[in-house]
Amino acid sequence: MIIDPWGSEKYEYEKLFENFGIERFTENIWKDLPNPPFFFRRKIVFGHRGFERIKQAIKKKRPWAILTGLMPSGKMHFGHKIVIDQVIYYQSIGADVNIAVADIESFATRGYSLKEAEKIAIEEYILNYIALGLKPCRIYFQSKNEDVKDLAYILAKKSNLSQIFAIYGFKGSTNMAHVFAPFIQVGDILHVQMEKYGGLRPTLVPVGVDQDPHIRFCRDLVEAHRLYSIIPKNDKVGVFVKSEKNVKILLDEVEKMLENIERKDSYKAIYGKAKDLFDLDFELAKIERKYENYSFLLPSSTYHRFISGLDGNKMSSSKPQHALFLTDEEEQIKKKIWSAKTGGAISAEEQRKYGGKPEECVIYEIFTYGIVEDDKELKEIYDNCKNGKLLCGNCKKLAYELLLNFIKNLKEKREEAREKIKEYLCFD
Ligand code: TRP
Ligand code: SF4
């Protein structure tokens, strides 16, 4: 099984934990964050890698960054909204927000020119992001940022063809710009830790789960480029120097940071007690950089579920009749909602008797994705569907009204957004 970041299938989420080692994003993880938002409470964000590091940064009041990306292709739909809801939340609790416009990826994999990609990014995505409530932050274009591209090239040194063929299932006929797209994404994720962009700091990449191959690949490359590896063992920690070069100097540096040290000359490791693993990792990466190494802290990630299209498959702009776009007009919304697949029974009579199945209903799903914000209200809809008091006709009417309200409001805000866009776009 591979995950194809450029495919369009739905996932069996359970398998992702076992097959790829994605960790569960349980209530324990998010419950002490400020005002847990709906996408945590409703398990829309369901998996992560290394989120503890972000929590520690928050707890210790250290700087941390968000880096995510948008691939300009087609129109922005409701499925795309969920990532920006998260970014807005993290921005409100202190993250430094960076957003990559994946224009190179769009060119390499979807055939848009860089000019077209820029236009789509601004008109379809960025204006909506601002309208949704994103505050000024840094949005840049892959094709215009030399640091991102340099980093992609340089970090590529510690990977090879077999590795990326195995991860992505590329074929001999895959065009090389496409093959290189994952490296550019690694450049996106890590460049925010360069001195020029804020320096070493925990970085969270909130994405749809189809992007996990890039995250795994990026984390592998980070490990491969580090000079030290740190292995906690009981109440102590082992720090290993991976290469033959500079072993003594590098271990002398570590020695200053540990207590109760065990160290043998001629050995590439040192054991001791660290006051704090977070700080140790950070300090070691700093030392590595003094030796002109490409060192980064492991990036963390979260994964969200994809919203279903109105036909029950994954929502996608390539199937516009089944996708809800943020720029849809009244009539289109009406038509789409009316044709949506519900969990209703075959007749009103049956439904009154046996109830509906909200868990199989895309209308209900749309409610859960933020259109109904209040949990109590959502539960009422759920219960009344189950017990047959609420029928699909009325429920769809409610969905239509809520959506219309949302879309109208957004349209107004989009007009205002145009004036503010300069505070976001960054052309280097
Ligand atoms: N590949 C992502 C997509 O298809 C876009 C993207 C580019 C991205 N660079 C990124 C996402 C860095 C997260 C982090 O949507
Ligand atoms: Fe879906 Fe509403 Fe019908 Fe229940 S009543 S199946 S939630 S549309």
Side-chain angles (χ1 to χ4, degrees):
M1 177 182 180
I2 68 156
I3 298 179
D4 177 6
W6 299 280
S8 62
E9 79 259 47
K10 278 187 126 181
Y11 295 99
E12 288 180 62
Y13 293 104
E14 273 307 307
K15 285 206 179 138
L16 299 172
F17 300 116
E18 274 168 48
N19 292 0
F20 297 104
I22 291 176
E23 293 182 71
R24 288 171 203 273
F25 198 77
T26 57
E27 185 165 349
N28 263 341
I29 295 190
W30 54 258
K31 70 170 191 275
D32 41 350
L33 290 175
N35 308 321
F38 73 88
F39 40 81
F40 291 171
R41 303 193 310 265
R42 298 175 189 169
K43 301 192 169 72
I44 293 170
V45 174
F46 71 96
H48 76 100
R49 292 187 192 271
F51 193 80
E52 294 80 14
R53 194 188 286 274
I54 301 300
K55 277 183 59 175
Q56 279 175 324
I58 295 172
K59 209 159 107 202
K60 289 167 180 280
K61 301 202 161 44
R62 299 278 181 79
W64 59 288
I66 288 282
L67 181 292
T68 189
L70 67 100
M71 164 124 96
S73 79
K75 297 205 268 183
M76 180 167 174
H77 58 60
F78 266 79
H80 295 126
K81 176 179 159 307
I82 197 72
V83 70
I84 214 67
D85 287 334
Q86 294 170 63
V87 171
I88 290 168
Y89 169 69
Y90 292 127
Q91 189 174 42
S92 79
I93 61 169
D96 165 35
V97 172
N98 300 264
I99 299 175
V101 175
D103 58 347
I104 293 185
E105 185 181 1
S106 175
F107 169 74
T109 69
R110 301 276 197 247
Y112 289 97
S113 72
L114 295 179
K115 260 265 153 288
E116 282 167 334
E118 179 179 325
K119 184 151 185 272
I120 298 172
I122 293 175
E123 295 297 322
E124 273 299 325
Y125 292 80
I126 300 170
L127 288 177
N128 275 317
Y129 288 8
I130 301 172
L132 286 166
L134 183 69
K135 298 274 175 321
C137 64
R138 175 172 166 262
I139 304 182
Y140 70 93
F141 292 77
Q142 285 179 330
S143 69
K144 303 208 166 64
N145 188 297
E146 297 304 319
D147 295 314
V148 167
K149 289 183 281 186
D150 286 351
L151 210 51
Y153 208 116
I154 283 167
L155 297 179
K157 165 105 183 192
K158 290 206 192 280
S159 66
N160 59 44
L161 278 174
S162 320
Q163 183 194 12
I164 59 161
F165 272 44
I167 299 177
Y168 295 102
F170 290 144
K171 301 195 190 71
S173 60
T174 308
N175 87 67
M176 288 306 291
H178 187 163
V179 172
F180 202 64
F183 294 89
I184 300 278
Q185 187 149 343
V186 167
D188 285 328
I189 296 172
L190 297 178
H191 86 288
V192 295
Q193 292 192 52
M194 292 169 73
E195 296 313 317
K196 187 170 156 189
Y197 300 94
L200 279 170
R201 63 207 192 291
T203 305
L204 177 65
V205 188
V207 278
V209 69
D210 66 326
Q211 298 294 303
D212 182 56
H214 300 309
I215 304 291
R216 257 183 289 142
F217 181 48
C218 181
R219 286 168 62 98
D220 284 351
L221 277 182
V222 167
E223 304 259 23
H225 280 273
R226 291 290 300 258
L227 298 180
Y228 295 110
S229 56
I230 307 172
I231 302 187
K233 201 176 162 203
N234 303 328
D235 62 334
K236 282 194 159 183
V237 59
V239 178
F240 301 80
V241 174
K242 293 197 257 172
S243 73
E244 300 293 330
K245 231 170 89 187
N246 295 331
V247 174
K248 184 164 173 344
I249 308 176
L250 285 168
L251 286 183
D252 285 350
E253 298 255 25
V254 183
E255 190 155 359
K256 296 176 213 153
M257 276 177 254
L258 298 178
E259 286 160 9
N260 302 337
I261 288 162
E262 289 169 50
R263 174 175 176 181
K264 293 192 190 84
D265 282 343
S266 80
Y267 201 55
K268 292 208 297 194
I270 190 166
Y271 293 88
K273 243 183 139 120
K275 273 208 214 79
D276 184 311
L277 280 181
F278 181 94
D279 291 338
L280 181 68
D281 186 32
F282 190 81
E283 293 304 321
L284 294 185
K286 270 211 300 220
I287 293 170
E288 292 175 30
R289 284 194 175 183
K290 277 204 313 211
Y291 294 89
E292 290 178 22
N293 195 58
Y294 289 95
S295 295
F296 298 91
L297 303 181
L298 266 189
S300 311
S301 56
T302 61
Y303 304 108
H304 54 261
R305 287 170 205 276
F306 294 112
I307 193 170
S308 306
L310 299 160
D311 59 348
N313 297 312
K314 184 174 158 188
M315 191 178 285
S316 155
S317 36
S318 61
K319 289 183 293 175
Q321 71 279 26
H322 301 307
L324 278 176
F325 296 109
L326 271 59
T327 46
D328 270 347
E329 300 288 343
E330 209 165 321
E331 274 310 303
Q332 290 166 303
I333 299 174
K334 193 182 251 168
K335 233 164 79 196
K336 287 177 184 178
I337 290 295
W338 227 247
S339 72
K341 179 178 165 283
T342 70
I346 29 172
S347 68
E349 195 185 333
E350 289 257 310
Q351 190 155 341
R352 278 198 199 93
K353 223 159 139 189
Y354 304 112
K357 294 184 181 135
E359 51 289 300
E360 290 171 20
C361 173
V362 301
I363 297 291
Y364 184 74
E365 194 178 338
I366 290 168
F367 290 148
T368 64
Y369 271 71
I371 290 301
V372 171
E373 261 200 54
D374 182 32
D375 284 358
K376 260 206 261 138
E377 206 176 309
L378 188 68
K379 180 151 190 310
E380 230 164 75
I381 296 175
Y382 184 93
D383 290 344
N384 285 338
C385 170
K386 279 266 180 205
N387 66 25
K389 271 193 215 150
L390 180 63
L391 297 185
C392 295
N394 280 340
C395 198
K396 282 183 164 177
K397 218 167 128 220
L398 174 66
Y400 170 69
E401 277 159 16
L402 291 174
L403 274 171
L404 196 62
N405 196 354
F406 177 85
I407 293 270
K408 273 191 175 157
N409 190 320
L410 200 66
K411 193 170 175 182
E412 270 170 37
K413 296 230 170 90
R414 247 193 330 261
E415 292 309 315
E416 297 162 24
R418 212 171 275 282
E419 277 134 53
K420 301 188 203 148
I421 202 161
K422 278 198 207 76
E423 295 167 59
Y424 298 75
L425 293 188
C426 160
F427 285 100
D428 58 27

